Amino acid sequence: MSTKKRKNMVWSLRELVIKIAVMAVTISIGLWCGWTDSYSAFYIAVLVQSINNLYDSTAFLEGYTRFITIFQLLSFLGALGAGILSIVHFTSKGSVVDTPGFVIGIAIALSVSVVHFGIEVYSMIRQNRY
């Protein structure tokens, strides 16, 4: 049995709020472009956000509490899928991923981190850890 203590996130409240704001703005701009302008603009934003989510998620996949690890694993898988779909968009003409259903699905997949960090902010405020 391991005696290694599982740790919680060590980010400050300010860092989490800024991270949530940046992620929400990026996803919102991508969605707006996907609905009104072009799918290419949407998939560029998706590719950037998925790389960001992949980078953030890898830091939380080991040594953290089960709650953090599960959310970040979902975020990692969602970002990986979104990144792959954005590459599919750019490699094929008249791609199957150019539909509103894919836009909504990708936005949900990339929003897992926003939900997780929002829950962390709520628990920090509730437990006076800020």
Side-chain angles (χ1 to χ4, degrees), residues 15-126:
E15 289 173 320
L16 281 172
V17 169
I18 290 171
K19 187 71 172 169
I20 289 170
V22 169
M23 293 172 83
V25 166
T26 304
I27 292 168
S28 299
I29 290 171
L31 276 174
W32 178 256
C33 291
W35 285 110
T36 60
D37 187 26
S38 72
Y39 287 111
S40 293
F42 171 73
Y43 282 109
I44 289 171
V46 165
L47 192 57
V48 170
Q49 187 63 44
S50 65
I51 291 169
N52 183 32
N53 284 11
L54 285 171
Y55 176 76
D56 287 342
S57 297
T58 55
F60 295 110
L61 290 178
E62 185 178 326
Y64 284 85
T65 62
R66 182 179 304 248
F67 176 77
I68 293 172
T69 305
I70 288 172
F71 261 102
Q72 292 306 315
L73 179 63
L74 290 174
S75 175
F76 181 84
L77 294 174
L80 186 64
I84 290 170
L85 290 175
S86 67
I87 292 169
V88 166
H89 165 77
F90 290 116
T91 58
S92 62
K93 299 277 184 191
S95 181
V96 68
V97 296
D98 293 346
T99 62
F102 274 99
V103 169
I104 293 169
I106 289 172
I108 290 170
L110 291 178
S111 298
V112 172
S113 292
V114 175
V115 171
H116 174 237
F117 292 146
I119 292 169
E120 286 293 328
V121 165
Y122 173 76
S123 68
M124 286 177 80
I125 291 171
R126 189 163 172 87

Side-chain angles (χ1 to χ4, degrees), residues 4-16:
K4 185 173 144 181
K5 184 176 179 180
R6 306 291 278 179
K7 56 186 175 178
N8 289 320
M9 292 178 70
V10 293
W11 291 4
S12 69
L13 181 64
R14 181 179 179 189
E15 289 173 320
L16 281 172

